[in-house]
């Protein structure tokens, strides 16, 4: 999608999976149910209703998800969810380690997006079992850089006991999971991330995540 503003063409890239009935969910979570509840030919209007857990599809994890925290996701300042993006191409790695070059690549208070290529398995069983993970050293880099959020085209930055999650959460760094279309950012020089959760009193929330290419 392209938008024209002040004589310049700017591109918006949707990084979100569509929310639909029965969409893939993390093993053990309840299934998403999206049904049409009213029909215009008999009810004179259309309506839909949804049952969804906060970690289905593209979503943002807040600290309350895994640490003892009383801050709901909707209580974070709005500016947390919008910011300059930084893409790291880690598509050849099964474990994402700290690299000294990232000290220069990542700027303070950016939103860091990782391209692993794993989203191609979305909808397959191995998507939730065989995904790349971050090291704690990499997570500590994100903490030092005071990034706003880390976004991944995977279901999680780590596995049980979720030490990377906890490290980030203890420093109020949010996590965007289950991104898609991230490959479209590989050759983009500059972009902004807009990742808005629902205004919902919950630990986490589904989100529409877009990249605005500058």
């Amino acid at each position: 999608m392209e938008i024209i503003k002040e004589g310049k063409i700017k591109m918006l890239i949707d990084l979100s999976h569509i929310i639909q009935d029965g969409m893939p969910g993390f093993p053990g979570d309840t299934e998403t149910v999206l049904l049409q509840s009213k029909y215009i030919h008999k009810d004179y209007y259309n309506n839909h209703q949804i049952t969804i857990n906060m970690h289905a599809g593209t979503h943002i994890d807040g600290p309350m998800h895994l640490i003892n925290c009383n801050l709901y996701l909707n209580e974070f300042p709005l500016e947390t969810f919008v910011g300059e993006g930084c893409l790291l191409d880690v598509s050849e790695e099964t474990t994402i380690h700290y690299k000294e070059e990232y000290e220069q690549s990542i700027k303070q208070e950016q939103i860091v997006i990782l391209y692993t290529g794993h989203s191609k398995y979305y909808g397959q069983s191995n998507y939730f079992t065989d995904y790349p993970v971050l090291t704690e050293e990499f997570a500590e880099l994100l903490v030092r850089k005071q990034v706003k959020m880390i976004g991944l085209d995977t279901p999680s930055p780590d596995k049980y006991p979720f030490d990377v999650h906890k490290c980030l959460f203890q420093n109020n760094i949010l996590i965007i999971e289950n991104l898609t279309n991230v490959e479209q950012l590989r050759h983009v020089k500059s972009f902004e991330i807009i990742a808005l959760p629902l205004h919902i009193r919950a630990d986490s929330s589904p989100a529409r995540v877009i990249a605005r290419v500058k």
Side-chain angles (χ1 to χ4, degrees):
M1 177 181 179
E2 292 181 333
I3 57 176
I4 300 177
K5 185 177 182 181
E6 296 177 355
K8 297 181 180 179
I9 296 178
K10 299 182 180 182
M11 184 170 64
L12 299 178
I13 301 173
D14 196 337
L15 304 179
S16 318
H17 286 286
I18 187 172
I19 296 175
Q20 56 189 350
D21 185 56
M23 71 178 180
F26 203 87
D29 284 347
T30 54
E31 185 173 303
T32 297
V33 179
L34 175 59
L35 298 174
Q36 185 165 353
S37 56
K38 298 293 181 180
Y39 294 84
I40 197 160
H41 64 271
K42 68 173 184 177
D43 303 303
Y44 305 105
Y45 68 101
N46 288 314
N47 198 0
H48 291 74
Q49 62 186 41
I50 188 169
T51 301
I52 189 171
N53 83 79
M54 294 299 103
H55 301 270
T58 304
H59 66 276
I60 300 173
D61 278 1
M64 188 185 287
H65 179 43
L66 281 176
I67 66 174
N68 186 13
C69 169
N70 295 322
L71 190 65
Y72 291 103
L73 190 63
N74 71 312
E75 295 175 322
F76 276 79
L78 276 175
E79 55 264 30
T80 305
F81 306 102
V82 180
E84 180 184 1
C86 170
L87 180 74
L88 299 182
D89 187 340
V90 293
S91 55
E92 301 298 322
E93 302 173 31
T94 54
T95 301
I96 300 159
H97 295 275
Y98 166 86
K99 294 181 182 178
E100 188 173 348
E101 65 193 68
Y102 295 158
E103 298 283 358
Q104 299 300 318
S105 303
I106 303 173
K107 310 302 181 188
Q108 293 289 122
E109 298 185 348
Q110 285 186 319
I111 296 175
V112 176
I113 304 296
L114 300 185
Y115 171 64
T116 73
H118 190 71
S119 64
K120 65 186 177 184
Y121 299 113
Y122 187 75
Q124 301 178 30
S125 59
N126 65 325
Y127 178 78
F128 292 106
T129 58
D130 187 23
Y131 53 87
V133 295
L134 314 186
T135 64
E136 288 189 60
E137 189 179 14
F138 182 88
E140 289 164 1
L141 166 66
L142 301 179
V143 172
R144 290 201 307 277
K145 293 291 185 175
Q146 298 178 305
V147 304
K148 294 181 176 182
M149 294 191 282
I150 174 76
L152 315 101
D153 55 357
T154 69
S156 174
D158 58 357
K159 297 180 180 178
Y160 183 83
F162 304 113
D163 290 329
V164 169
H165 263 89
K166 294 170 185 175
C167 173
L168 297 176
F169 288 158
Q170 286 162 356
N171 292 277
N172 282 333
I173 297 175
L174 307 181
I175 304 170
I176 314 170
E177 297 173 339
N178 299 328
L179 292 174
T180 189
N181 298 325
V182 180
E183 68 279 358
Q184 294 183 38
L185 295 172
R186 294 177 77 182
H187 304 294
V188 168
K189 291 183 179 180
S190 179
F191 64 94
E192 178 184 41
I193 290 292
I194 303 169
L196 297 180
L198 300 175
H199 194 4
I200 187 170
R201 192 172 173 85
D203 67 288
S204 307
S205 172
R208 186 74 178 266
V209 182
I210 64 171
R212 186 177 71 92
V213 178
K214 297 181 180 180

